Amino acid sequence: MFDNSKLQWNATYDVIVLGFGGAGASAARFAADNNSKVLITDSAPEGHEGGNTRYAGQVISSGDDLNDLRKYYQDLAFPLSYDKDLMETLIKGLYNIPNYLESYLGVKPFIMGKHPESPVSKALYFMAHEYPEFRGQATHELVTVHEGVADSALWKNLRQQVLKRADKIDVLYNTPAQHLIQDPNTKAVVGVQIKRNDELLNVKANNGVVMATGGFENNSQMVENYLGETSLNPIGSLYNKGIGIKMASEVGAQLYNMNNYESYGIFHGLTPKPAKGQRSQFLPFDWPAFHQGSLIVIGDDGTRYFDENEIHRHGHIQDHGNWRIPQAQRHPYVVFDQKKYDELINDKNAPYPEFMKLVVKADSLAKLAEVMQVDLENLTDTIKDFNHFAEIKRDYAFNRDAKTLAAFDENGPYYALAMVQGLLNTQGGPVHNSKAEVVDNDNVVIPHLYAAGELGSLMGRQYNGGSNLAENLIFGKIAGENAALQKDELESSTSQIDTQTSASIHENGLGSDITEDHFDTQDNQYIGKSSAGMGNEIVVRVTADSKDDIQNIEVLKQSESDDYGLKAVKELPKEIVKSNSINVDTVSGASASSKAIKEAVSNALAQIK
């Protein structure tokens, strides 16, 4: 428990927001709009803030019929219990999403159902009705801030809303929260301890603290304790480490939905196994060639464990009438033969062709079992059984569609691709009410403490795509507005927290990491910028005698992901110089980063007279 008996304040704000993701950005913006001086702290470095909102598909749940939305979300929650006022607030917020985007984010919402011929709608509209058997599903809708997905567009808009209010909002990167500071008698949360440049600072909150720190995808101990898994790999932010759950627990908050998470990827959320410490790729649900033919998925014991042709619902697949994410295997593999390998390697619809470079070849089942570290007898029997199912056109193990069955060539060779269960996000955290107020184990409000986003989501059992982003917007707004309300001083028999104030207190705050950049140029050099990537702004300095004579490109600022995004940052400028044109191929797996680099170079070249 945090010892606040001899506390000194280092700064004071009206509202403190922990976490600079979708929910935190929304909370800070609406607190600032209600006359509050706000501090946002985030554990990520600049350019990697944004939590899972940055990496999400950018689709937001909505619907145009309140009664249908109510039925659909009641069925999504079933059979778990839920706060009816909280649910009703969510439903009304979902109904209002198009107006929210127009009124508060300044965009004309792109409603997929109204644009059935759009490539975006054709690709993703099935997700608007992930549970078509549920009541009210027909009205459920997906909305975006423009005609595009998986490009961080919503996040960039939310971040810009914060930047436009830089006079009222300070942002500190690389500054994780450590503890909430709670009055020992009134139980009110009166401040936060943060860690800045290895120094612990105590920051007072006059009116409220909003926790929007996301889930615990990157905390292996919490994943093991709450989800019962040891081999999940994050798909979103690498900075969601469960600090909000730890802090909430310290002040007596009630927790819920701790054992639920969402997944994404092929099959039931599997992704090719990345290098240790790297994010799994955000793969599409469906890669047709990867769901049929002489191809199966093998679990830890050398046997199949599900229908490979079944399309999952954010990791959930059928389990005797219920939709559940299956127990994750520690080392699952996709296994296929030569004819399937030849098909996959030439498949123009492959989402990331470079994954085929990770495939391992084995000339025999014995070698294959050795590669996968599975029991040879089990593996042999599994292939034999599958070939029999393919011959009789009936999968007696998992009832896979007969049209998708094709026997393996028993003479080999065989191919194996190591996979891992992707962890898109966790949903558990402190319980909050319809006002976004956090409650304790007796359902009593903990004064001045609020929560929003994936830290304590209402999505406890089944999940429809876009619901978490909608929660970010709806409850981020509610949390920010309520945290900004002027609070009456709560009576306390101790005044230690309020009287021992540091002589070095910053009445005007701690300053902000949001600053304006300046870049030098010499003759024939031009600065170009773009925000089209997955990180924050990309800035390049282009040296060129003319638009047709590009001599050098320097990347002065970028914060793309360390995997494919960084590959684009390193390789694409060289290719542009070599080709003397921005019309070069994008780097596979890094289309957004590639687009941003090309756009930045184009903007620089446009300045040449």
Side-chain angles (χ1 to χ4, degrees):
M1 188 69 178
F2 178 66
D3 180 12
N4 55 26
S5 60
K6 296 181 180 178
L7 189 68
Q8 290 186 327
W9 296 116
N10 297 100
T12 299
Y13 287 83
D14 295 318
V15 173
I16 301 173
V17 177
L18 307 178
F20 193 10
S26 299
R29 172 262 177 91
F30 284 103
D33 287 351
N34 283 269
N35 301 313
S36 289
K37 179 66 176 178
V38 183
L39 171 67
I40 303 178
T41 72
D42 198 275
S43 59
E46 182 179 2
H48 297 275
E49 77 281 13
N52 284 337
T53 302
R54 178 188 287 274
Y55 297 104
Q58 310 300 294
V59 297
I60 310 161
S61 291
S62 185
D64 58 9
D65 186 293
L66 274 172
N67 287 328
D68 278 351
L69 277 172
R70 191 173 291 114
K71 292 173 185 176
Y72 189 54
Y73 275 80
Q74 286 172 350
D75 284 3
L76 284 171
F78 183 82
L80 300 182
S81 58
Y82 54 84
D83 180 331
K84 290 181 172 55
D85 288 338
L86 180 63
M87 177 68 83
E88 187 65 16
T89 301
L90 172 65
I91 290 163
K92 289 179 179 177
L94 293 170
Y95 179 78
N96 192 50
I97 283 295
N99 180 60
Y100 186 114
L101 299 188
E102 197 156 356
S103 299
Y104 301 125
L105 303 188
V107 299
K108 183 174 178 56
F110 180 79
I111 301 173
M112 288 192 187
K114 294 184 178 181
H115 302 277
E117 296 306 312
S118 166
V120 170
S121 302
K122 288 181 177 179
L124 276 182
Y125 197 60
F126 73 94
M127 196 191 297
H129 315 286
E130 281 198 61
Y131 290 85
E133 70 274 23
F134 286 178
R135 299 174 304 151
Q137 60 83 26
T139 192
H140 197 260
E141 185 59 85
L142 294 180
V143 182
T144 57
V145 296
H146 72 154
E147 188 178 359
V149 294
D151 56 4
S152 297
L154 172 63
W155 160 245
K156 292 169 188 173
N157 187 303
L158 296 175
R159 179 176 177 270
Q160 191 61 35
Q161 301 302 325
V162 170
L163 299 187
K164 288 195 299 187
R165 295 161 174 82
D167 59 325
K168 292 185 176 181
I169 304 175
D170 288 347
V171 177
L172 299 181
Y173 301 112
N174 282 310
T175 306
Q178 302 292 300
H179 303 280
L180 297 173
I181 301 174
Q182 185 179 37
D183 186 291
N185 291 299
T186 67
K187 302 303 180 184
V189 171
V190 295
V192 182
Q193 185 177 78
I194 60 177
K195 191 172 185 179
R196 175 78 168 170
N197 298 325
D198 292 325
E199 180 183 3
L200 292 176
L201 303 175
N202 301 318
V203 188
K204 185 178 179 182
N206 289 330
N207 295 324
V209 173
V210 178
M211 291 195 300
T213 54
F216 54 90
E217 302 91 77
N218 301 281
N219 186 319
S220 58
Q221 183 179 351
M222 284 187 178
V223 168
E224 186 172 341
N225 288 346
Y226 293 120
L227 304 181
E229 300 287 9
T230 59
S231 56
L232 305 180
N233 203 73
I235 297 173
S237 171
L238 295 177
Y239 296 91
N240 288 357
K241 298 183 179 181
I243 186 62
I245 292 163
K246 174 179 177 289
M247 291 190 297
S249 298
E250 289 176 347
V251 297
Q254 183 182 161
L255 302 179
Y256 75 147
N257 289 339
M258 296 303 295
N259 69 340
N260 189 54
Y261 75 95
E262 311 307 331
S263 188
Y264 207 86
I266 303 292
F267 308 116
H268 57 80
L270 295 178
T271 70
K273 190 174 183 177
K276 188 175 182 179
Q278 287 191 357
R279 296 169 48 242
S280 286
Q281 283 296 320
F282 192 79
L283 289 171
F285 273 30
D286 188 19
W287 179 9
F290 222 55
H291 290 275
Q292 54 191 274
S294 48
L295 178 150
I296 58 177
V297 178
I298 295 295
D300 296 338
D301 64 349
T303 68
R304 295 168 66 209
Y305 63 105
F306 65 98
D307 170 7
E308 296 90 351
N309 187 56
E310 182 176 12
I311 302 300
H312 66 92
R313 302 174 179 184
H314 275 82
H316 297 67
I317 58 176
Q318 279 274 18
D319 181 7
H320 299 279
N322 297 295
W323 288 88
R324 301 284 181 86
I325 295 179
Q327 191 75 27
Q329 302 294 298
R330 295 188 305 279
H331 49 83
Y333 278 83
V334 180
V335 175
F336 41 93
D337 64 4
Q338 184 67 52
K339 61 180 176 292
K340 173 56 69 170
Y341 176 85
D342 293 340
E343 178 187 352
L344 295 174
I345 203 73
N346 295 304
D347 186 0
K348 295 180 180 179
N349 295 316
Y352 295 104
E354 61 272 19
F355 283 162
M356 294 302 292
K357 297 177 183 177
L358 304 175
V359 171
V360 177
K361 182 179 181 180
D363 292 327
S364 67
L365 283 179
K367 293 282 181 64
L368 184 64
E370 184 179 339
V371 166
M372 298 191 298
Q373 297 180 313
V374 300
D375 183 83
L376 174 58
E377 184 176 353
N378 283 352
L379 181 61
T380 302
D381 288 345
T382 297
I383 297 289
K384 181 179 179 180
D385 288 347
F386 183 81
N387 282 354
H388 176 64
F389 299 156
E391 182 181 352
I392 66 173
K393 296 301 178 184
R394 176 67 190 276
D395 178 7
Y396 278 103
F398 297 101
N399 203 32
R400 184 168 134 185
D401 187 343
K403 296 191 295 292
T404 72
L405 304 175
F408 281 73
D409 184 344
E410 294 180 354
N411 296 319
Y414 301 92
Y415 294 87
L417 176 60
M419 306 292 281
V420 66
Q421 179 79 42
L423 174 50
L424 187 63
N425 66 288
T426 58
Q427 303 285 14
V431 175
H432 65 78
N433 61 23
S434 60
K435 296 180 180 179
E437 298 169 315
V438 175
V439 302
D440 67 15
N441 287 307
D442 294 317
N443 291 318
V444 176
V445 169
I446 299 174
H448 304 187
L449 182 62
Y450 305 84
E454 290 174 2
L455 180 67
S457 167
L458 189 56
M459 302 297 116
R461 178 54 66 85
Q462 288 90 201
Y463 172 80
N464 198 104
S467 300
N468 280 140
L469 291 186
E471 274 190 299
N472 287 349
L473 300 179
I474 296 163
F475 290 105
K477 178 177 184 290
I478 292 171
E481 290 174 340
N482 287 331
L485 292 174
Q486 188 73 32
K487 304 298 191 298
D488 294 330
E489 192 69 31
L490 295 174
E491 292 186 8
S492 175
S493 60
T494 176
S495 59
Q496 289 174 312
I497 291 180
D498 290 325
T499 59
Q500 296 191 35
T501 303
S502 169
S504 61
I505 188 170
H506 298 275
E507 291 292 351
N508 295 320
L510 294 171
S512 181
D513 289 337
I514 295 177
T515 57
E516 187 174 348
D517 295 314
H518 298 280
F519 302 99
D520 296 329
T521 58
Q522 296 180 358
D523 291 343
N524 300 326
Q525 289 186 334
Y526 308 89
I527 301 297
K529 302 179 180 180
S530 173
S531 296
M534 294 300 290
N536 292 348
E537 194 174 54
I538 284 182
V539 181
V540 300
R541 181 165 54 209
V542 178
T543 303
D545 285 337
S546 69
K547 294 180 180 180
D548 300 320
D549 184 18
I550 305 172
Q551 298 171 5
N552 190 30
I553 300 173
E554 303 166 83
V555 179
L556 304 181
K557 182 179 180 181
Q558 65 85 24
S559 50
E560 300 303 287
S561 60
D562 291 335
D563 37 47
Y564 295 100
L566 191 56
K567 184 179 179 182
V569 169
K570 291 180 177 179
E571 294 182 3
L572 210 57
K574 297 176 185 177
E575 290 299 316
I576 293 173
V577 171
K578 182 179 178 181
S579 302
N580 205 30
S581 169
I582 62 171
N583 296 317
V584 297
D585 291 338
T586 60
V587 174
S588 181
S591 56
S593 302
S594 300
K595 177 182 178 182
I597 293 167
K598 291 181 180 182
E599 185 175 278
V601 173
S602 178
N603 290 340
L605 294 174
Q607 300 170 42
I608 299 176
K609 299 290 174 72

